[in-house]
Amino acid sequence: MAPTLIPSDWVLVNKLILGPRIYTEFNKLSAEKMLRLKGLRKIQRNDILVFNSPHIISEKLEPDLNMFYIKRCIAISGDTFSIENGVNKVKDMPIL
């Protein structure tokens, strides 16, 4: 996300937009013990998303609750995404 975000920047996250996670058992924080409440809206193009890094535990894909990724959503469901000559395109329009 550089130059938008650089190491040591502070990030404020609004978990109500996409729906907060609720853990049903705090002694075992895993995806099986988690449910997500309904959010205020769905993910939109150009949203900045903060999510846990996925990793494999016992042949299952689980979130690593200590590692966070910050990424920008450049395409949503139904979009056609392509990379041509190093240029990202959504619906055949270059992303600037």
Side-chain angles (χ1 to χ4, degrees):
M1 292 277 316
T4 304
L5 294 173
I6 56 173
S8 78
D9 276 355
W10 287 69
V11 177
L12 181 64
V13 177
N14 183 350
K15 293 185 176 191
L16 296 177
I17 298 291
L18 301 178
R21 291 186 292 199
I22 303 294
Y23 290 95
T24 57
E25 289 186 29
F26 289 104
N27 58 346
K28 294 182 181 179
L29 296 179
S30 70
E32 293 175 350
K33 307 296 181 193
M34 175 187 77
L35 61 99
R36 185 172 295 277
L37 298 179
K38 184 178 178 184
L40 300 175
R41 65 171 174 83
K42 293 184 178 183
I43 296 173
Q44 297 175 351
R45 198 175 296 110
N46 290 321
D47 279 352
I48 296 177
L49 306 172
V50 179
F51 56 95
N52 293 106
S53 167
H55 69 283
I56 297 174
I57 297 178
S58 304
E59 299 181 9
K60 287 185 173 183
L61 195 59
E62 295 278 339
D64 181 354
L65 299 176
N66 296 317
M67 177 71 72
F68 297 96
Y69 284 162
I70 300 177
K71 301 290 181 183
R72 184 179 303 275
C73 177
I74 58 173
I76 57 175
S77 181
D79 284 349
T80 302
F81 176 78
S82 63
I83 303 173
E84 296 176 11
N85 297 325
V87 177
N88 296 335
K89 294 183 177 183
V90 174
K91 298 182 179 180
D92 292 327
M93 299 294 295
I95 300 172
L96 302 174

